[in-house]
Amino acid sequence: MSGVLGTYAYTNYYNVQGNYRQGAITCAMPAGSLFGALASSFIADRYSRRTAIQVAALIWIVGSIIQTASNGIGMLVAGRLVSGLGVGIESAVVPIYQAEIAPPEIRGRVVSLQQWAITWGILLQYFIQYGASFTDGGANNPNQGTAAFRIPWGVQIVPATILFAGMFFFPRSPRWLASKDRWEESIEVLAALHGGGDMNHPKVLAQYQEIEEALTGERVEGKPDWTLLTEPRMFRRVILGMSIQMWSQLCGMNVMMYYIVYVMEAANIGDPLLTSAIQYILNVVLTLPAILFLDKWGRRPSLLVGSFMMMVFLFIVGALQAIYGQPFHAESGPLSAISWILRDNRPVQLAVVVFTYLFVSTFSITWGPTSWTYPAEIFPSQIRAKAVSLATASNWAWNCALAFAVPPLLWNINWRLYMLFASFNGVAFIHMFLTAPETKGKTLEEMDIVFDSGRPAWRSVPKGSRLAVLQKEIEDGNLKVAVRFGDTSIELKSAATATNIETVQEAV
């Protein structure tokens, strides 16, 4: 939405002159996303992760149509609420799906791809908005037509349609299939993903064994899913997942995504729409290092270094605005949203823009991908969808609150807002240091060992994975794996000595 905020077409057509009104419009989507996230686990657990993603894509299409056709604030808010439902489901289920199909050694990279896709979507949509802003005389034409915002909102339908159709070509989660006792399909998917189609591959059999043991243990306990969420050992993880998503919003990136145009207008340097576009490019480019190296440098360093550096950059921006800025007031138009501005001091104006870019770059490398990767991997299969839905709901609850509150806060406390978000980053640094252990390289089924060992979060987790041990034992023929086909269970030793699974399937 940020690309249309700086156009007369939008401000005039919807008569957006008050900060609270714009806050209500903006927060409608995260409000819908909050409810979508909470509902996601019911769809994902019952109908599969893949089906949930497709349902969400259809909901997004409906919401985009309503937004594009909107003739007033009420209809626009309704469209954003509907679209938000779809976004909430997607944001909760996609990381789960990715985590459940990825091998542990590249799980961070795979889940980070979701964040990279988000940054590409933000960038492309922003430039579509920027291009559409030149219609009917440009963004500064008081008589600009509605194409400036209807074109970008209509284009949203295209990627949702591609997602819906494309998911038919992706497998269901092997862990979801196993939870439904569809073991034959589960090992087929594992083989396709991790064994080159070979169901006798030791890595495939090792993952199958680990998934089966974990599910068996969960079923032996026999406790209802929601009850498990409140057990002390699991409740700590739920709070951690929700906290990480909360801090990812309170770090201040929310301001840069929704209201970057206002930030650049306050810096009073160049074309605010074009200057804002640079940060979206940085967001895309600098998510790449996280994709490449998150599984090497780990989740914990990303959270700690990210919080500390974002705190420093925001304190600097706030200080520069406080020392060199001055009150400002405009009766109407896009500039009416700000009350503080930098004037006639180009070095300081440039410094504010540069440190804003550094802040965005830091988030892109650290918290951006890690805040989605970490909550998706720390819960056992039985409650994963429900726990992640709560964590994602936390994200959208704070996103909604900030989307509504930032415009009036930016107007009323101006430069102090940067100080507030900087302080949040400082608290997040302490919180993550004390409570977030390292999870890289561990399988989803090993997270109980990571969190229930009694080891302080700042102590190093032993290297290695149980999956590698199982794989080695299977390769050496020292471990038998019982693979289920219908009502039949076949014991296998290794890829070299096992009965061929395809032959067993035909016999069954």
Side-chain angles (χ1 to χ4, degrees):
M1 163 148 255
S2 59
V4 304
L5 295 181
T7 66
Y8 272 99
Y10 173 78
T11 54
N12 288 343
Y13 187 82
Y14 293 104
N15 190 28
V16 183
Q17 300 298 334
N19 289 319
Y20 288 102
R21 181 173 293 184
Q22 180 54 56
I25 294 171
T26 305
C27 80
M29 184 171 290
S33 299
L34 168 61
F35 291 103
L38 290 172
S40 65
S41 65
F42 299 100
I43 306 172
D45 280 340
R46 182 164 186 173
Y47 299 106
S48 84
R49 294 20 173 161
R50 189 182 76 176
T51 299
I53 293 170
Q54 291 179 300
V55 169
L58 293 176
I59 295 173
W60 174 267
I61 290 171
V62 173
S64 298
I65 292 172
I66 296 172
Q67 289 178 70
T68 306
S70 64
N71 57 5
I73 289 179
M75 192 171 177
L76 175 59
V77 168
R80 287 179 62 79
L81 278 168
V82 174
S83 291
L85 286 171
V87 172
I89 296 171
E90 299 280 18
S91 60
V93 177
V94 169
I96 295 173
Y97 179 76
Q98 291 172 313
E100 290 184 344
I101 66 173
E105 63 269 16
I106 62 166
R107 187 174 59 244
R109 182 179 303 176
V110 171
V111 181
S112 294
L113 285 172
Q114 183 228 20
Q115 175 66 14
W116 198 44
I118 291 172
T119 63
W120 270 108
I122 293 170
L123 176 67
L124 293 173
Q125 180 66 345
Y126 185 85
F127 274 111
I128 291 169
Q129 293 174 51
Y130 182 69
S133 72
F134 289 98
T135 61
D136 299 325
N140 295 319
N141 177 16
N143 298 314
Q144 187 182 31
T146 62
F149 56 81
R150 295 197 194 278
I151 291 173
W153 294 345
V155 169
Q156 296 177 126
I157 297 169
V158 176
T161 303
I162 295 172
L163 176 62
F164 174 78
M167 286 305 297
F168 284 110
F169 299 95
F170 283 77
R172 299 188 191 278
S173 162
R175 288 172 169 84
W176 179 83
L177 289 168
S179 72
K180 299 301 180 183
D181 289 324
R182 294 162 63 172
W183 294 99
E184 184 176 347
E185 294 175 71
S186 176
I187 196 168
E188 287 174 351
V189 173
L190 286 171
L193 291 172
H194 310 303
D198 180 12
M199 288 186 282
N200 295 298
H201 194 288
K203 187 172 185 178
V204 172
L205 295 176
Q207 288 195 68
Y208 179 93
Q209 173 81 1
E210 196 170 37
I211 292 170
E212 185 180 37
E213 287 178 1
L215 284 174
T216 300
E218 291 169 8
R219 288 171 177 174
V220 167
E221 290 185 13
K223 295 181 180 179
D225 297 354
W226 289 107
T227 302
L228 285 173
L229 290 174
T230 60
E231 283 192 347
R233 72 183 189 89
M234 207 58 64
F235 187 66
R236 182 168 68 92
R237 278 186 247 180
V238 173
I239 294 300
L240 178 59
M242 294 178 69
S243 298
I244 287 175
Q245 291 285 22
M246 175 188 73
W247 292 127
S248 74
Q249 291 299 313
L250 293 179
C251 72
M253 190 63 176
N254 178 284
V255 180
M256 303 306 171
M257 289 295 102
Y258 284 134
Y259 301 114
I260 185 63
V261 172
Y262 293 169
V263 174
M264 293 306 174
E265 284 173 345
N268 195 28
I269 183 169
D271 181 349
L273 288 174
L274 185 58
T275 312
S276 303
I278 296 173
Q279 71 121 16
Y280 291 111
I281 296 173
L282 291 171
N283 197 24
V284 170
V285 172
L286 290 170
T287 301
L288 272 174
I291 295 174
L292 297 174
F293 301 114
L294 184 59
D295 288 307
K296 293 183 179 180
W297 64 46
R299 285 59 157 157
R300 184 175 168 83
S302 294
L303 295 172
L304 296 177
V305 173
S307 293
F308 182 81
M309 296 309 298
M310 287 190 292
M311 175 186 69
V312 171
F313 295 141
L314 286 177
F315 272 134
I316 292 173
V317 171
L320 291 174
Q321 290 272 11
I323 295 169
Y324 298 102
Q326 56 186 273
F328 173 83
H329 180 70
E331 291 294 337
S332 61
L335 288 175
S336 62
I338 60 174
S339 64
W340 194 266
I341 198 167
L342 292 167
R343 287 189 186 275
D344 305 323
N345 196 329
R346 191 162 182 82
V348 174
Q349 292 168 319
L350 286 171
V352 167
V353 173
V354 167
F355 281 109
T356 298
Y357 289 160
L358 287 172
F359 168 85
V360 171
S361 300
T362 302
F363 179 87
S364 301
I365 297 172
T366 59
W367 273 79
T370 309
S371 63
W372 293 108
T373 301
Y374 200 94
E377 65 186 6
I378 63 175
F379 301 106
S381 177
Q382 186 176 0
I383 62 167
R384 185 172 298 127
K386 293 177 176 61
V388 173
S389 76
L390 290 175
T392 308
S394 171
N395 176 295
W396 290 115
W398 287 101
N399 190 310
C400 179
L402 291 172
F404 180 78
V406 163
L409 283 173
L410 202 57
W411 173 268
N412 289 305
I413 67 174
N414 36 71
W415 60 266
R416 298 173 186 84
L417 186 62
Y418 299 101
M419 301 301 193
L420 178 63
F421 285 120
S423 301
F424 286 147
N425 279 297
V427 178
F429 175 87
I430 297 171
H431 185 194
M432 293 301 100
F433 178 82
L434 295 174
T435 63
E438 184 56 69
T439 59
K440 72 171 183 178
K442 302 298 183 183
T443 65
L444 299 180
E445 288 71 31
E446 287 181 289
M447 292 302 160
D448 283 350
I449 299 173
V450 173
F451 282 89
D452 298 340
S453 65
R455 183 183 295 106
W458 56 87
R459 288 271 305 276
S460 298
V461 176
K463 294 182 179 180
S465 169
R466 182 171 178 271
L467 181 66
V469 175
L470 286 174
Q471 184 176 340
K472 183 68 168 59
E473 290 181 351
I474 292 171
E475 288 174 345
D476 295 341
N478 298 324
L479 176 65
K480 296 179 180 180
V481 178
V483 180
R484 303 182 192 180
F485 295 101
D487 296 328
T488 305
S489 182
I490 306 297
E491 281 194 349
L492 303 177
K493 279 190 175 182
S494 70
T497 63
T499 304
N500 185 273
I501 289 180
E502 286 83 354
T503 304
V504 175
Q505 285 180 285
E506 292 175 5
V508 174

